[in-house]
Amino acid sequence: MKNATLQPRIPQLRFPAFDGEWRNKTINDLVKEEVIEKPLDGNHGNIHPVSTDFVDDGIPFIMANCFNNGQLNLNKAVCIRKKQADKLQKGFSIAGDVLLTHKGSVGLTAIVPKLSTDYIMLTPQVTYYRVVDNSYLINEFLYATFQTSAIQRRLKVLADGGTRPYVGITLQRTLQISLPEIPEQQKIATFLTAVDDKISQLTSKKEQLTKYKKGVMQQLFSQELRFQPDSSTTSLRGTKQSASNENQFPDWEEKRLGEVCNHISYGLTIRPKFVQNGIPLISAREITSGTVNFSMAPKISIDDFSELSDKAKPKKGDIFLTKTGTIGYTARFMEDFPIAITQNIAVIRLTDNKVNSALYLMHYFKTSEFYRNAISKVNQSTIMDLQLGDIRKLEIPFPSIKEQQKIASYLSALDDKIEAVQVQIEQTQEFKKGLLQQLFV
């Protein structure tokens, strides 16, 4: 057994049948004792592959954006020719290696899966760790160790101080990890792998639901699929199947947005003084995925709010549409507390303010057709901007109110399912985070 160099410790939570102290080591210790190979990242300098070297098929070239929830997504990797890769000096990573990002996005980790190529190439953003003594350390345990709060905090400390977060190989070798005997490493790794598999399954389920919703939206708004008046909300039929059916909803009408809205405006054109406690001031950056992040919004004083014009004070039920910089993000204001908005948000208020019409409109705003239509009218200056006059002229396909209701209900139900899966993902991630805190030293 290799000698410990640091003070041994014991984890807070332990599986039955295991006892004894864990051995503390630095990465440098493990390299010297030939437990792992010397960690390496990708090529720097003139031989570092650049964008002009990328090809559709070849050796995957791994960057930080290839990491997703502890897994390596090879489908997101660009490729370089094998002939070029073979000439590089370092950064050759193989299946089973533990990867760690150390530049820009610091602390992301993954295990290289089975490959269809002999190896993958790493950028200078990524380090590989290759275990060579499996009787002392297994790669799955090292992978989990890199995800612990202790290692993540240490990486953050080491990365601070420069214009861009960076932890070089030399500093990485100072990282300290604690090791139990192999049977306990395997037990911990197997348990955490099951949790990772659950997260992966939920993530896949969310992706499938999101893909399904996108396809259904395309078919619904192109009228390739239609609801029938006497059908349940979840019953859809192709238009060819329904062509001979006299019991159909009326034909859709194209209307300009201004025709169905009695209010389209935007908010503050000046930057007010911010206070610690006050009225939230919502800008485009607070609107994502159909929701408004009120907690992240800056605040203005009640006195300043009272002096604002009504156009900067949305009402419950209003629809928000981002119009400057990031175009086309939407949300609906359904809260009972007052807020103010900035000029990069358009406030849309339907004439009849019917819930189903508003929900229908919200879903249509998320279609690629609407986005293309909106972008075509954008003022292409230094900052993209969609003028209110052009927003009023945007053409929207409107079915009857009852068909709007069916479409809105169906798509909202899909949104609810997607959100429910997202909640499960977050809960499982929090569960894993707690395990990492207690199972490791």
Side-chain angles (χ1 to χ4, degrees):
M1 181 182 293
K2 300 174 173 65
N3 294 324
T5 60
L6 301 172
Q7 183 63 35
R9 298 169 64 191
I10 297 173
Q12 179 182 349
L13 182 65
R14 210 157 192 186
F15 288 101
F18 295 112
D19 55 18
E21 297 174 333
W22 289 25
R23 307 177 299 278
N24 287 328
K25 295 285 183 177
T26 65
I27 294 296
N28 198 49
D29 293 333
L30 297 176
V31 172
K32 288 181 177 180
E33 296 170 7
E34 299 183 346
V35 176
I36 62 174
E37 289 186 4
K38 179 181 177 181
L40 291 173
D41 59 359
N43 287 269
H44 302 251
N46 294 333
I47 61 174
H48 170 66
V50 295
S51 59
T52 53
D53 297 321
F54 299 158
V55 294
D56 293 334
D57 186 31
I59 301 297
F61 190 51
I62 305 303
M63 305 180 190
N65 66 353
C66 299
F67 292 73
N68 183 30
N69 292 324
Q71 294 186 331
L72 192 63
N73 188 345
L74 294 175
N75 292 327
K76 294 188 71 173
V78 296
C79 295
I80 59 175
R81 292 180 178 86
K82 188 174 186 304
K83 183 178 180 181
Q84 179 187 11
D86 287 342
K87 294 179 180 179
L88 297 177
Q89 296 175 350
K90 61 175 184 170
F92 298 85
S93 183
I94 59 177
D97 286 350
V98 179
L99 304 185
L100 180 71
T101 61
H102 65 263
K103 186 176 182 180
S105 299
V106 172
L108 303 178
T109 188
I111 295 179
V112 179
K114 291 182 180 179
L115 301 172
S116 59
T117 55
D118 293 336
Y119 57 83
I120 56 177
M121 291 305 303
L122 306 183
T123 66
Q125 295 175 291
V126 185
T127 307
Y128 76 75
Y129 288 79
R130 185 170 303 154
V131 177
V132 291
D133 185 353
N134 293 293
S135 67
Y136 194 80
L137 172 66
I138 59 174
N139 61 347
E140 293 93 345
F141 186 85
L142 180 62
Y143 159 73
T145 300
F146 282 156
Q147 297 176 61
T148 61
S149 58
I151 293 292
Q152 290 294 314
R153 284 195 303 266
R154 183 59 182 160
L155 287 170
K156 186 178 186 304
V157 170
L158 294 174
D160 286 344
T163 55
R164 187 182 184 193
Y166 174 71
V167 183
I169 300 292
T170 301
L171 284 177
Q172 288 179 55
R173 290 178 67 154
T174 67
L175 292 172
Q176 300 176 4
I177 65 174
S178 297
L179 303 172
E181 299 294 342
I182 286 295
E184 190 170 3
Q185 289 186 39
Q186 291 172 332
K187 186 73 173 180
I188 292 171
T190 299
F191 189 76
L192 290 175
T193 297
V195 178
D196 283 337
D197 289 344
K198 179 65 174 178
I199 294 173
S200 179
Q201 291 166 7
L202 289 170
T203 302
S204 177
K205 183 177 179 180
K206 180 186 174 184
E207 290 171 351
Q208 291 170 6
L209 282 170
T210 302
K211 183 178 179 180
Y212 172 74
K213 183 197 169 188
K214 183 178 180 180
V216 168
M217 285 178 66
Q218 176 66 32
Q219 292 176 301
L220 282 173
F221 289 110
S222 67
Q223 301 179 58
E224 183 179 343
L225 288 177
R226 295 283 299 274
F227 287 102
Q228 303 303 304
D230 58 353
S231 69
S232 67
T233 304
T234 57
S235 178
L236 286 166
R237 293 184 183 178
T239 51
K240 291 182 179 179
Q241 294 175 313
S242 308
S244 61
N245 188 354
E246 296 181 0
N247 185 24
Q248 298 184 67
F249 282 120
D251 291 339
W252 292 24
E253 297 181 70
E254 288 280 342
K255 295 182 180 180
R256 290 187 173 185
L257 192 57
E259 296 178 54
V260 297
C261 299
N262 62 4
H263 178 91
I264 300 179
S265 65
Y266 59 81
L268 287 174
T269 58
I270 59 172
R271 183 182 179 90
K273 181 180 179 180
F274 295 139
V275 296
Q276 186 172 359
N277 297 304
I279 306 298
L281 177 63
I282 306 302
S283 63
R285 67 182 178 182
E286 278 80 53
I287 298 179
T288 56
S289 303
T291 60
V292 182
N293 191 338
F294 298 105
S295 63
M296 296 297 293
K299 309 293 192 302
I300 62 174
S301 68
I302 296 176
D303 289 340
D304 286 345
F305 177 77
S306 64
E307 295 179 4
L308 298 180
S309 66
D310 287 342
K311 71 177 184 179
K313 302 175 182 179
K315 295 181 179 180
K316 186 174 182 178
D318 285 349
I319 296 171
F320 296 158
L321 176 69
T322 59
K323 60 177 285 295
T324 305
T326 303
I327 306 295
Y329 283 10
T330 64
R332 193 159 182 239
F333 180 55
M334 298 301 294
E335 309 299 334
D336 291 319
F337 52 79
I339 65 170
I341 60 166
T342 64
Q343 63 178 337
N344 56 21
I345 295 176
V347 175
I348 298 169
R349 189 174 303 151
L350 294 174
T351 302
D352 57 13
N353 203 28
K354 290 183 178 179
V355 173
N356 293 322
S357 295
L359 289 175
Y360 169 83
L361 199 58
M362 283 281 294
H363 286 297
Y364 181 74
F365 282 164
K366 297 175 184 177
T367 64
S368 56
E369 181 181 359
F370 172 79
Y371 181 75
R372 287 193 299 269
N373 193 10
I375 287 294
S376 69
K377 301 181 184 302
V378 163
N379 177 20
Q380 298 286 350
S381 59
T382 305
I383 299 177
M384 294 198 303
D385 184 65
L386 188 59
Q387 300 293 318
L388 290 186
D390 290 326
I391 292 175
R392 294 188 180 97
K393 293 176 183 177
L394 289 170
E395 293 185 344
I396 311 292
F398 276 95
S400 65
I401 290 295
K402 289 185 177 181
E403 192 170 3
Q404 286 182 41
Q405 178 183 1
K406 287 181 178 289
I407 292 172
S409 296
Y410 189 78
L411 295 177
S412 294
L414 287 177
D415 282 339
D416 290 343
K417 289 181 180 180
I418 293 170
E419 177 59 27
V421 175
Q422 178 59 34
V423 169
Q424 288 181 283
I425 292 172
E426 293 171 0
Q427 290 174 340
T428 310
Q429 288 172 333
E430 282 300 308
F431 174 64
K432 179 183 176 182
K433 184 178 179 181
L435 289 174
L436 288 169
Q437 180 70 23
Q438 298 178 76
L439 286 173
F440 287 78
V441 173

